[in-house]
Amino acid sequence: QVQLVESGGGLVQAGGSLRLSCAASGRTFSSYTMGWFRQDPGKEHEFVASIRWSGGFTAYADSVRGRFTISRDNAKNTVYLQMNSLKPEDTAVYYCASGRGFGLRAAKEYDYWGQGTQVTVSS
C-alpha cells in the first residue's frame, strides 16, 4: 500500500523559510513524478512543484519559482520542498502526491496523496 507522509509545516513570519518533507513507501517510485500542491479552504488544489523521481526533472508554478526548491533523496525515498522568502499568500495546507507520468501539473493526474501539512505565514 502506497503511503505518503508529509512533515515540516508550521508558523513562520513573512520572509522566513520552511522545509517540507514527504516520506514515500509501499512501491517503487522510479517511474513516478512526485508533486507538491497546496490548498486553501474551499478552493481546488494548486500545483506548486514537481520532480521526476528518475532523472530529477523539475517544474514549478510561476508563483513560487525562484523561492521554492523541490528535491529528492533516493536513498531515503523522501521528497523535499524548501520554501524561502515566504509570503502570507503562501499560507495553505501543502500536500505531497505521486503520479505515473511526466510533467504532471493537474491534481487529477496524481494517484496517491498524503494527509497534508499546514503552512501559515504571518505578515
Side-chain angles (χ1 to χ4, degrees):
Q1 183 177 355
V2 174
Q3 274 199 316
L4 304 176
V5 180
E6 303 99 332
S7 61
L11 173 64
V12 64
Q13 287 189 330
S17 299
L18 282 175
R19 188 177 80 156
L20 305 183
S21 299
C22 172
S25 63
R27 71 172 307 128
T28 301
F29 291 92
S30 59
S31 62
Y32 276 68
T33 292
M34 303 298 293
W36 284 99
F37 287 78
R38 62 189 183 188
Q39 187 179 35
D40 287 328
K43 295 186 178 180
E44 296 185 351
H45 287 97
E46 176 191 4
F47 172 77
V48 175
S50 67
I51 187 167
R52 187 70 178 168
W53 204 277
S54 176
F57 300 104
T58 59
Y60 296 91
D62 289 343
S63 58
V64 307
R65 187 175 290 111
R67 299 188 299 122
F68 291 11
T69 302
I70 189 171
S71 61
R72 87 267 193 240
D73 184 329
N74 289 353
K76 296 183 178 180
N77 253 19
T78 300
V79 176
Y80 303 99
L81 185 68
Q82 177 67 44
M83 306 186 294
N84 298 330
S85 302
L86 282 161
K87 305 175 181 179
E89 51 263 44
D90 294 319
T91 295
V93 178
Y94 282 71
Y95 295 89
C96 173
S98 67
R100 202 170 180 84
F102 189 87
L104 308 179
R105 288 179 174 258
K108 64 181 180 181
E109 297 176 303
Y110 286 79
D111 303 312
Y112 300 102
W113 293 79
Q115 82 288 350
T117 185
Q118 177 71 47
V119 171
T120 303
V121 184
S122 63
S123 56

